[in-house]
Every structure is written in C-alpha cells, then in structure tokens.
Amino acid sequence: MEKILTLETMKLLFLTSKPIFPSRDGGCYASEKFLNCILHSGVEVKHVTLSTPKHPFDESAYPSEIIRATQPINFFVDTSVRPLSAFLHLFKSGSYNCDRFYSVSVESALIELVQTEHVDGIILDSLFTTPYLKALRAIFKGKIVVRTHNVEHQLWEQYGAEASGLKKWYFKRLARDLKQFEIKQLNAVDEILSISKDDSERFKSLGIHTKITEIPVAVAVNENTLPSEGASLYYIGAMDWKPNQQAVAELIAWMPRLRESLPNLELHIAGSKSTEFLSSDKANGIFVHGYVKSMEDFSIEHGILVSPIRSASGVRIKFLEAMAAGIPIITTQLGALGIDLSQSDCMCIAETEAEFTQHITSLILDPEKRREIGANAKDYIRKNHTIDTISQAIIDVFGGNS
C-alpha cells in the first residue's frame, strides 16, 4: 500500500553544493531561505552539505536552531582546478564544472546515509549536486527533485562572448559541455523547482521535458524600514564572482563624472573578498567595507542599490532583500531577471551610463520618488514572496497533506 505522507511523517533530505552558513553570497542566501520554508511547514529535514576549499564547512556559523532541526552533515570534496585534469577533461564527456564536485567516497557515504535515514524525498540544491543523481536513483525509489538557482550554462556562454583568444575558446567549450550536462541531468530528475518564470521558460526552450514548478525565494518584508535619506549609493556582492567585479568596475569608473553634478555623492561597496579586490578612494567618494554580517542593515544605511549587471542568470537575491526593506534599485534588464516589472513601478531599469546617471540623479534629488519606488517594491514582495505560500508549494511537490 502506498505511503500517505503528512507534514508530521514526511522526511526530506536537502543536499547543497556548499555550506549555507555563513551566507556569503546569493546562492547561500537562497538555500537558507529555501531550507527555512521547508522547516516552516513542520516537515523533518536532514541537511547534507558538500564543502570545498573555496567554501569550507564551519558548524559554528550555523544558527543553533538550524543545527537542532536538521543535524547537518558535511562531506568535503576537493574541487581545486588543476591544469592537467582540466586539459584531460577536454577528451572526456561530461562537464568539468560539475564533475569537480563528484567524489567516490562521498557517493558511498550518501548512499549509506539515504538507506539509513529512510527519507521520503530528496532535494538536490543546484546543478552541482547532480553528479550523485545516478547513484541515488539506483537505491532510492522516492521523488528526487532539483532546486535550480539559475540556468548555469548561460553564465559561461556570457563569459565566452566577453573573452578573447584561447580563453574564449575554452570558455565556450566549458559552456557547451555544461549545457549538455544540464539538459541531461534536468531531464533525469522527477521535477525541477525553478526560481523564476524566466528560468522556467528557458529550460523549456532547451527541450527539457521534466515538470517544472516555480518556487520563488521567500523574503519577509521589514515593515519598519525606511530608505536612507542620504545621498548615497551602494553595491553588495561577493567580489570573487566575475559579474560582481564587472558591475563594480563600471560604478567606480562613473563616480568622478557623477560627482561633477552631485559633489557629495558616495558609493559604498561591501561583500566577501571586496577588500582583497578593491580599495577605498575617498577623493572620489568610494568606500569599501569588506564582508558585512547584515546585508539588510548595510542596505538600509546606504540608500540606493545600483547594479549594472552585464553577465547573469536567475534572480538576484540581494534585490529581493533590498525590495523587502523598501530600498530603490537601479539595474539592467538582465539584472532584473525574475522580477515581473509589469506588476508595478518597483525598480528603475537602465543600460547605458547616461541612463544610470539619469536615474541616480533623479532618485538622489527626489526623496518622494525614492519612497514611492520603495513602497512599490515592498508591495511586490508581499504579493510574490510570502513564506506561507512558498512553504506550501514545496510540500505539495512531495504530496504532503497538512
């Protein structure tokens, strides 16, 4: 007889490709919010994370309530890029980007864990956990889904388009292999949980026939926040990620010209690795803060988020956080992926330096416009990103009954 799953009896395994805490980037933040949605529903969760040289596991960074609720287990995978293995992989099938996350010993440990824990469903968080899909499928008859953060190969296609010489050829090869791997793996799972309608449509256009359910990131609106009244811009993001480096480089180049008409204008930059890649330039109003513990506090203090994103895929999680705090945003169409701009005037869109300058000047000089866009942004989050609705959508995927 088929087992009837209820919220009281359901147990899910949640496998992430890097530790969720500390939340150093948008991927960590999205995974944290997704995990909180599952826990909010009352379902039992077993959290398993891969750790790497770039993303080590630190249990002390995990909140005590998450440790109690999920009893996280960590498996280390050495994803270091080695020139010889990268070269030899050119003569193999598969994706070098994803294959680096595979380990025979980790696979064995995962199999033993799944058989011991008797879980009712498995959530693979991001494409980089799917190298273990085949082995898990062989020993687990329940539902296996992938939670996607974006369309992974698109980033590498963009890198290839921007590069030159041998690097251009190599990036295009990585993108091609990653695309083939992505299509194969997403067609092999039982369901895809995409982060936005834009990503869902892209997956369908690639010929992926797996059922897709859109599960937005849950964000709580801070009803007590007001946008900063100061003439300040900010950018926050991990500076070891190329799209963030590109966006910040543009902002820094614009600042001297912006200050010709707005002499007191300041640009505040924060995020992991930011002090390693950047230096403050007080003469041009540029201040680098390094990693900050509270993205929300930093955002509220510094007023207007400006993000000339040129290479990206998926939803910018930091935008949702800023919108929930009522902070106006200026970004590109690419940066606004996943945001339904037809619903309201909840952010400003610009592509050129002139267009960014126009929006920056307008918002700096017009506090009422800042408040209006901020209020619209909060309303958008209330309508599209509530935790109760999203938690129920996740549980419905596994057939759970309340």
Side-chain angles (χ1 to χ4, degrees):
M1 190 170 86
E2 184 178 352
K3 179 180 178 181
I4 298 176
L5 298 179
T6 67
L7 300 185
E8 291 75 24
T9 63
M10 186 186 300
K11 185 175 184 179
L12 301 177
L13 185 144
F14 183 50
L15 174 63
T16 61
S17 60
K18 57 185 174 183
I20 297 175
F21 301 95
S23 294
R24 295 189 178 278
D25 54 38
C28 294
Y29 183 86
S31 299
E32 173 195 348
K33 294 299 182 183
F34 187 84
L35 175 59
N36 284 334
C37 281
I38 307 174
L39 295 174
H40 180 75
S41 68
V43 167
E44 185 178 353
V45 180
K46 186 65 180 179
H47 171 42
V48 181
T49 182
L50 306 179
S51 62
T52 66
K54 184 178 179 180
H55 295 281
F57 179 74
D58 178 8
E59 186 172 301
S60 67
Y62 273 64
S64 57
E65 61 270 20
I66 296 294
I67 293 176
R68 286 194 301 270
T70 68
Q71 299 177 320
I73 294 176
N74 165 61
F75 297 122
F76 176 76
V77 181
D78 188 356
T79 56
S80 303
V81 176
R82 295 180 174 84
L84 179 58
S85 62
F87 173 74
L88 292 176
H89 206 281
L90 295 173
F91 305 97
K92 302 177 182 178
S93 60
S95 165
Y96 182 64
N97 300 68
C98 292
D99 287 349
R100 290 188 297 118
F101 286 82
Y102 176 77
S103 161
V104 173
S105 61
V106 170
E107 181 177 87
S108 299
L110 279 173
I111 291 171
E112 182 179 355
L113 179 66
V114 169
Q115 292 174 329
T116 303
E117 291 289 334
H118 304 294
V119 296
D120 300 299
I122 297 175
I123 302 170
L124 303 177
D125 189 59
S126 91
L127 188 67
F128 300 105
T129 60
T130 64
Y132 300 99
L133 173 61
K134 183 177 180 181
L136 292 173
R137 178 68 78 195
I139 56 97
F140 180 71
K141 304 309 177 186
K143 196 167 190 177
I144 302 178
V145 307
V146 171
R147 165 65 163 178
T148 60
H149 291 228
N150 47 43
V151 184
E152 292 292 347
H153 74 271
Q154 281 189 321
L155 276 176
W156 287 92
E157 287 180 340
Q158 292 164 3
Y159 294 161
E162 296 165 0
S164 59
L166 186 59
K167 183 178 286 188
K168 185 180 188 72
W169 174 85
Y170 185 63
F171 283 174
K172 285 188 173 182
R173 171 61 187 269
L174 288 176
R176 187 198 73 181
D177 292 346
L178 186 57
K179 181 178 181 179
Q180 292 174 349
F181 182 84
E182 191 163 20
I183 293 171
K184 176 184 176 182
Q185 296 301 88
L186 295 186
N187 269 324
V189 295
D190 295 308
E191 194 162 340
I192 300 166
L193 310 185
S194 76
I195 208 165
S196 71
K197 183 177 179 180
D198 288 330
D199 283 0
S200 297
E201 294 303 317
R202 179 59 177 156
F203 288 138
K204 291 174 184 176
S205 73
L206 292 170
I208 294 170
H209 305 295
T210 304
K211 180 181 178 181
I212 304 174
T213 300
E214 288 157 30
I215 307 287
V217 176
V219 182
V221 171
N222 189 332
E223 303 293 352
N224 299 317
T225 57
L226 293 172
S228 169
E229 294 300 315
S232 180
L233 311 177
Y234 80 91
Y235 189 96
I236 188 167
M239 287 304 143
D240 55 354
W241 195 51
K242 189 174 180 180
N244 285 335
Q245 294 174 359
Q246 293 172 326
V248 166
E250 282 200 74
L251 287 174
I252 289 173
W254 295 344
M255 280 298 290
R257 292 185 289 275
L258 283 166
R259 281 166 63 91
E260 290 176 4
S261 57
L262 300 167
N264 296 320
L265 186 66
E266 295 178 354
L267 170 63
H268 295 266
I269 302 166
S272 62
K273 307 290 185 180
S274 57
T275 53
E276 296 178 27
F277 284 86
L278 305 165
S279 298
S280 295
D281 179 4
K282 294 181 181 180
N284 285 306
I286 299 165
F287 301 86
V288 181
H289 297 259
Y291 174 74
V292 292
K293 290 185 177 180
S294 173
M295 180 165 63
E296 183 181 61
D297 289 346
F298 180 83
S299 302
I300 292 169
E301 181 181 356
H302 294 106
I304 301 169
L305 171 55
V306 184
S307 180
I309 287 289
R310 307 297 183 186
S311 303
S313 175
V315 178
R316 309 270 69 75
I317 307 302
K318 61 192 170 193
F319 289 2
L320 300 180
E321 183 88 347
M323 292 170 72
I327 292 167
I329 299 169
I330 309 170
T331 190
T332 61
Q333 285 283 356
L334 189 61
L337 277 176
I339 306 295
D340 185 356
L341 297 175
S342 67
Q343 288 191 26
S344 68
D345 182 17
C346 60
M347 66 172 59
C348 301
I349 301 299
E351 301 298 337
T352 65
E353 179 182 351
E355 290 171 346
F356 272 96
T357 298
Q358 180 181 358
H359 284 301
I360 290 169
T361 303
S362 176
L363 289 176
I364 290 293
L365 299 179
D366 190 347
E368 183 56 38
K369 185 172 183 180
R370 292 204 301 273
R371 286 190 285 267
E372 179 185 351
I373 292 177
N376 290 341
K378 281 187 174 183
D379 189 53
Y380 180 91
I381 297 297
R382 290 188 195 97
K383 291 177 179 177
N384 297 280
H385 295 272
T386 61
I387 190 169
D388 289 334
T389 302
I390 294 170
S391 295
Q392 187 59 53
I394 296 170
I395 299 311
D396 288 346
V397 167
F398 293 94
N401 301 305
S402 56

